[in-house]
């Protein structure tokens, strides 16, 4: 099939971009190297939009949370990722989590049903010299294409490590020790909680520090971690109490197994390990915040010292891979086009946005931008007061190029509000964003034809 635009990469950003383009009547060639004989160190299959780390899209609260606001804005623009996310949704309190297999299948099914999308299993080794293209190959771009990108940008790509959390079989968890609850009872009994006393916690932290770690290759030795996906043993090395104020914080979690006459609802443990449902069947649960670079045998030994996980069976153990991304504020223009090669746009994590939803959001914007350009229409970016606009502005020029690092959406990226009480500031940000997005959609006709 002849195509109007080439989308390279079938992850969340590429799939979202292809969807937005096709829904606007354009013929799309979507190239994905997995399934054509190639893979990556992190992927396990060849499905489009495979989730390789957490299964959470984080908060779905559009009133007080920036990522929840981004969910809202993407739904307003008929996001494929949000549509498939609803199909694959599993309980996660106030967060949005999905069954990763159902989610990937839903994305592939929706794209495959569009007659103007051709999904091709092939590796692309060089940036297209001509013709509109969107590169959304993510942080695990194939070496040949990465080399082509480096030559075109004239800049050294930045790099960081991203770690993967283990997944546990539900029937191997001891529920006589653990209990189900969400923090502060928000969202129902959506998490399995494993309680630790002080002695158990301190022994666990020491085990993390002493455990045998994955050895880095020479070229990885000086690669920094992204703060939002820090390996648990690296957090532990920052101080003995770090984990109790991070992924193992016990606040808001009354352990009913420790109930007494004085405390009928139970008491908070000294520390807690939480597991979140990972598939619709509820048979797989991932260890929240437990990304790790411990060797596999060490993971099994140490994680089975956690109360309730003494007999844990692991569907997947933690891992570590290197991610790469562009210095986007330096090499991309405000429409995500590569300076000096404006036929090529970039989208997703390779631009330096961080997170599933953020990656998909940049893919969404890249798709709408490209559709407008091909159709000869003027493009006006979403207002910077919106989550979409704030994210786009950050990665295309507002961030400091010299210190550019991956960034999740947060209210710190939004234009400040004046004279708003701190207690209602988040609601003020989201109210302003929703009104400005609705006005932008209405004035710019960005909806699919």
């Amino acid at each position: 099939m002849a195509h109007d635009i080439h989308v390279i990469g079938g992850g969340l950003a590429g799939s979202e971009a292809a969807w937005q383009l096709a829904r606007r009547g354009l013929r799309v060639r979507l190239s994905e190297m997995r399934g054509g004989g190639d893979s990556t160190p992190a992927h396990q299959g060849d499905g489009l939009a495979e989730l390789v780390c957490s299964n959470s899209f984080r908060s779905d609260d559009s009133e007080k949370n920036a990522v929840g606001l981004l969910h809202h804005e993407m739904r307003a623009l008929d996001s494929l990722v949000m549509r498939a996310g609803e199909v694959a949704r599993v309980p996660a309190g106030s967060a949005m989590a999905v069954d990763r297999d159902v989610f990937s299948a839903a994305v592939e099914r929706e794209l495959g049903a569009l007659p103007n999308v051709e999904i091709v299993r092939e590796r692309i080794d060089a940036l297209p010299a001509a013709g509109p293209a969107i590169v959304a190959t993510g942080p695990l771009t194939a070496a040949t294409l990465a080399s082509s990108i480096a030559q075109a940008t004239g800049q050294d790509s930045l790099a960081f490590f991203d770690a993967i959390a283990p997944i546990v079989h539900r029937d191997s968890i001891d529920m006589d020790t653990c209990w189900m609850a969400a923090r502060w009872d928000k969202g129902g009994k959506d998490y399995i909680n494993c309680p630790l006393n002080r002695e158990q916690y301190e022994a666990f932290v020491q085990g993390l520090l002493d455990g045998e770690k994955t050895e880095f290759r020479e070229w990885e030795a000086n690669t920094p971690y992204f703060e939002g996906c820090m390996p648990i043993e690296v957090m532990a090395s920052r101080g003995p109490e770090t984990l109790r104020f991070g992924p193992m914080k016990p606040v808001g979690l009354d352990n009913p197994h420790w109930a007494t006459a004085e405390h009928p609802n139970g008491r908070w443990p000294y520390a807690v390990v939480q597991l979140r449902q990972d598939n619709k069947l509820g048979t797989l649960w991932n260890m929240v915040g437990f990304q790790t670079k411990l060797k596999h045998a060490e993971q099994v030994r140490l994680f089975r010292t956690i109360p309730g996980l003494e007999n844990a069976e692991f569907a997947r153990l933690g891992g570590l891979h290197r991610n790469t991304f562009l210095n986007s504020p330096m090499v991309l223009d405000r429409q995500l086009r590569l300076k000096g090669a404006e036929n090529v746009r970039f989208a997703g994590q390779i631009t330096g946005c961080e997170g599933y939803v953020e990656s998909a959001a940049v893919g969404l914007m890249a798709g709408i931008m490209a559709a407008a350009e091909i159709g000869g229409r003027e493009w006006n970016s979403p207002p910077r007061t919106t989550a979409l606009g704030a994210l786009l502005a950050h990665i295309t020029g507002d961030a400091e190029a010299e210190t550019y690092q991956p960034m999740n959406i947060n209210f710190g990226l939004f234009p400040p509000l004046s004279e708003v009480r701190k207690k209602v500031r988040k609601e003020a940000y989201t109210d302003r964003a929703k009104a400005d997005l609705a006005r932008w959609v209405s004035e710019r006709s960005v909806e699919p034809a």
Side-chain angles (χ1 to χ4, degrees):
M1 180 178 76
H3 59 272
D4 300 307
I5 186 167
H6 189 186
V7 177
I8 304 171
L12 276 77
S15 296
E16 185 69 60
W19 170 262
Q20 297 294 334
L21 288 158
R23 295 275 286 165
R24 287 162 176 79
L26 296 173
R27 297 168 298 173
V28 182
R29 182 183 183 92
L30 176 58
S31 297
E32 168 55 51
M33 73 176 187
R34 290 176 299 112
D38 291 281
S39 190
T40 75
H43 288 87
Q44 295 190 345
D46 57 13
L48 298 182
E50 179 184 335
L51 306 180
V52 300
C53 190
S54 168
N55 70 322
S56 176
F57 292 166
R58 311 195 318 280
S59 175
D60 202 33
D61 179 1
S62 69
E63 300 296 325
K64 299 181 181 180
N65 190 283
V67 73
L69 175 62
L70 189 56
H71 290 184
H72 167 85
E73 294 179 7
M74 292 172 68
R75 289 183 177 116
L77 295 174
D78 189 27
S79 162
L80 171 61
V81 164
M82 298 310 297
R83 178 187 291 219
E86 290 298 337
V87 172
R89 194 161 186 161
V90 297
S94 59
M96 182 179 187
V98 301
D99 179 311
R100 63 185 75 225
D101 294 329
V102 174
F103 172 77
S104 174
V107 169
E108 191 150 345
R109 182 173 61 251
E110 292 280 3
L111 283 175
L114 296 175
N116 52 336
V117 174
E118 181 182 16
I119 301 171
V120 185
R121 302 295 180 161
E122 61 181 353
R123 191 184 71 207
I124 303 300
D125 290 333
L127 291 177
I134 296 175
V135 178
T137 47
L140 296 170
T141 299
T144 49
L145 181 57
S147 177
S148 175
I149 293 169
Q151 290 177 15
T153 61
Q155 302 291 329
D156 292 334
S157 291
L158 304 178
F160 65 99
F161 279 121
D162 198 6
I164 299 172
I167 295 177
V168 180
H169 289 280
R170 170 66 171 78
D171 59 9
S172 69
I173 301 171
D174 180 6
M175 295 306 297
D176 289 333
T177 299
C178 305
W179 80 102
M180 297 191 70
R183 201 177 305 279
W184 305 113
D185 292 325
K186 291 184 178 180
K189 297 181 178 181
D190 293 343
Y191 293 82
I192 294 176
N193 301 282
C194 307
L196 290 84
N197 59 32
R198 180 168 185 165
E199 181 181 6
Q200 291 166 331
Y201 172 78
E202 291 177 349
F204 181 76
V205 169
Q206 192 61 49
L208 288 172
L209 298 175
D210 295 341
E212 191 175 4
K213 317 299 192 299
T214 302
E215 294 181 4
F216 295 145
R217 298 169 183 167
E218 184 177 350
W219 54 268
E220 296 175 318
N222 296 317
T223 303
Y225 295 107
F226 169 52
E227 291 288 332
C229 205
M230 184 72 62
I232 191 168
E233 61 275 4
V234 175
M235 285 188 277
S237 71
R238 296 182 171 184
E241 293 294 287
T242 302
L243 294 177
R244 291 187 65 241
F245 289 89
M248 296 179 71
K249 61 185 177 185
V251 297
L253 291 166
D254 292 318
N255 183 357
H257 297 309
W258 294 355
T260 64
E262 184 180 1
H263 302 287
N265 294 325
R267 299 288 285 167
W268 294 356
Y270 189 76
V272 166
V273 173
Q274 287 196 306
L275 294 95
R276 178 177 55 229
Q277 187 172 331
D278 200 80
N279 65 346
K280 274 190 171 296
L281 293 175
T283 56
L284 299 176
W285 292 67
N286 66 63
M287 299 176 70
V288 178
F290 265 57
Q291 303 90 350
T292 181
K293 62 189 181 76
L294 289 171
K295 289 194 172 182
H296 284 182
E298 195 72 8
Q299 290 180 48
V300 173
R301 183 197 65 78
L302 183 60
F303 294 158
R304 284 179 177 168
T305 68
I306 297 169
L309 300 185
E310 293 89 347
N311 299 305
E313 295 295 333
F314 296 91
R316 183 186 73 187
L317 288 162
L320 186 72
H321 57 275
R322 173 178 153 162
N323 287 349
T324 56
F325 59 96
L326 292 171
N327 191 330
S328 293
M330 184 175 292
V331 302
L332 300 184
D333 69 12
R334 290 291 187 176
Q335 291 197 38
L336 297 167
R337 294 175 298 204
L338 182 60
K339 295 175 183 178
E342 282 77 12
N343 66 302
V344 178
R345 281 183 167 84
F346 283 85
Q349 276 189 266
I350 198 169
T351 66
C353 66
E354 177 59 28
Y356 292 144
V357 180
E358 290 87 341
S359 298
V362 177
L364 179 152
M365 288 186 282
I368 298 176
M369 288 174 186
E373 185 174 61
I374 295 169
R377 299 185 300 276
E378 182 182 1
W379 163 261
N380 291 280
S381 297
R384 294 191 183 193
T385 52
T386 65
L388 287 166
L391 183 63
L392 179 64
H394 176 76
I395 65 177
T396 60
D398 284 10
E400 290 290 338
E402 291 185 3
T403 58
Y404 188 56
Q405 284 286 315
M407 179 67 71
N408 294 115
I409 188 66
N410 63 84
F411 288 123
L413 302 183
F414 290 61
L417 291 159
S418 58
E419 299 180 4
V420 175
R421 289 185 297 113
K422 184 176 181 180
K423 192 172 183 179
V424 296
R425 187 172 296 275
K426 292 178 180 178
E427 292 94 325
Y429 274 122
T430 58
D431 287 346
R432 180 181 67 176
K434 290 175 181 178
D436 288 351
L437 182 81
R439 189 178 306 112
W440 177 74
V441 170
S442 173
E443 292 174 353
R444 303 305 173 191
S445 298
V446 296
E447 288 296 311

